[in-house]
Amino acid sequence: MNWSQIRAIAQKDIKAITSNVQVWIGLILLPLVFAILFPGVLILVMKMVNIVDADLVNMVQKVIMQLPEGDKKEQITQLPTINHQIIYIFVNYMLGPFFMLIPVLNSLMIALNSMVGEKERRTLESLLFAPIEVKDLFMGKLVATFIPTFIITLASFVLCGIIINGLSYTMFDGFIFPNLSWGIILLWVTPMFTGLVILISIFISARCKGFQEAQQLGGVVILPLIGAPISQITGILFLSPQILLGAGLLLLLINIFLLRRLTKMNQRHVLFERQVH
């Protein structure tokens, strides 16, 4: 790989991203919803409402039963009210998949506009005729999408922690966020999953002739992530640290395989025929 060319492509794309007002709206709106409003409103509601609904109580108990035996499970069962249990379980076991929508949707939006955006700006021809390897071109696009996405994700994580701990500190007499699983999600699973989303999005963008078509096809990649919170709530799947580590490793292997296939399937003449003509 030619890292100087990859860096040049990434810098060019990052400059285009940061100068796009519509992109900035998405980068700001998603953290506002999933890192601030979503957890903040739920904690405030749980602090003010007295839970008496039997179905909700049973659902919480079902989730608790899925937790592995140990100090954490005992700690949750010994919390003084169902409201405390809901907040603790939501923050530490259910919020993660919702939070991951921030990097997933942001990277999806940026990456889908990658190749299609080049065509619409009439700059794709210059890239295709330039002495740049296709692998370096895709790698530059990947880096340009990953860097701003991950920076926004880290900032969202900090804001999320401030909101959660600030609103719940008096209830729990201490910090409840983050735990080990959150660390693995942020530093291991999220980068791997974001990389997968970016690679799939670039592949789709390279094959599509317009942004609307690319956007429709790209939306499919978030369906598995949407299913994760549902499985958590119904108690089907407990995302333990071991599962998260294994999932991240699997995603890494898929990313390596996909990057190799991507460059083989999208040679220079193929990209030129699909995008220019």
Side-chain angles (χ1 to χ4, degrees):
M1 290 186 180
N2 189 324
W3 289 104
S4 62
Q5 292 183 346
I6 292 174
R7 183 170 58 253
I9 294 170
Q11 289 175 344
K12 177 185 72 68
D13 279 19
I14 290 175
K15 184 177 180 180
I17 291 167
T18 54
S19 62
N20 191 322
V21 177
Q22 292 180 335
V23 173
W24 271 111
I25 292 175
L27 293 177
I28 295 173
L29 184 60
L30 287 170
L32 179 65
V33 172
F34 293 109
I36 298 176
L37 292 179
F38 192 28
V41 169
L42 183 133
I43 293 174
L44 287 174
V45 170
M46 288 298 102
K47 291 177 69 173
M48 295 184 294
V49 176
N50 183 25
I51 303 297
V52 295
D53 184 74
D55 291 336
L56 181 57
V57 173
N58 290 334
M59 185 184 71
V60 173
Q61 295 303 318
K62 183 179 180 180
V63 173
I64 294 175
M65 290 177 61
Q66 298 296 318
L67 300 176
E69 298 295 334
D71 295 338
K72 283 295 181 183
K73 186 172 183 178
E74 293 181 5
Q75 179 183 350
I76 295 173
T77 55
Q78 292 174 2
L79 289 173
T81 68
I82 188 69
N83 299 65
H84 286 75
Q85 292 178 342
I86 291 175
I87 292 175
Y88 192 93
I89 291 173
F90 172 79
V91 167
N92 289 292
Y93 301 110
M94 295 181 181
L95 181 60
F98 290 105
F99 180 85
M100 283 183 64
L101 289 174
I102 296 173
V104 167
L105 293 179
N106 277 331
S107 61
L108 186 70
M109 175 179 60
I110 297 171
L112 283 178
N113 194 40
S114 183
M115 289 295 184
V116 175
E118 294 284 1
K119 178 184 177 182
E120 293 175 349
R121 293 189 297 268
R122 298 186 180 278
T123 56
L124 180 61
E125 295 93 330
S126 300
L127 283 176
L128 293 177
F129 282 119
I132 302 173
E133 293 290 337
V134 174
K135 181 185 295 185
D136 294 339
L137 174 61
F138 283 132
M139 198 66 184
K141 298 286 185 184
L142 190 153
V143 171
T145 303
F146 183 84
I147 290 177
T149 298
F150 196 62
I151 290 175
I152 292 295
T153 302
L154 290 175
S156 302
F157 181 79
V158 173
L159 290 174
C160 189
I162 293 173
I163 294 297
I164 290 173
N165 290 320
L167 294 176
S168 65
Y169 186 86
T170 55
M171 289 184 66
F172 294 88
D173 294 325
F175 297 137
I176 62 171
F177 179 92
N179 60 7
L180 177 60
S181 293
W182 264 105
I184 298 173
I185 288 174
L186 179 69
L187 301 176
W188 178 238
V189 178
T190 295
M192 294 301 105
F193 198 92
T194 302
L196 177 62
V197 172
I198 294 172
L199 287 172
I200 295 176
S201 300
I202 292 176
F203 174 80
I204 293 173
S205 180
R207 294 288 176 138
C208 294
K209 296 182 179 180
F211 181 73
Q212 185 174 2
E213 179 187 359
Q215 191 176 41
Q216 292 173 347
L217 292 175
V220 176
V221 304
I222 69 170
L223 292 179
L225 191 60
I226 294 175
I230 298 175
S231 65
Q232 286 281 78
I233 293 172
T234 56
I236 295 174
L237 176 63
F238 169 64
L239 297 181
S240 65
Q242 293 79 10
I243 293 177
L244 291 172
L245 288 172
L249 179 59
L250 178 61
L251 289 171
L252 174 61
L253 296 176
I254 293 175
N255 286 341
I256 295 174
F257 172 79
L258 190 59
L259 180 61
R260 291 179 177 177
R261 294 295 300 173
L262 190 62
T263 54
K264 290 181 179 179
M265 295 175 64
N266 289 283
Q267 295 300 323
R268 194 182 305 272
H269 68 281
V270 176
L271 289 172
F272 188 86
E273 291 174 357
R274 286 183 176 273
Q275 297 295 329
V276 179
H277 296 295

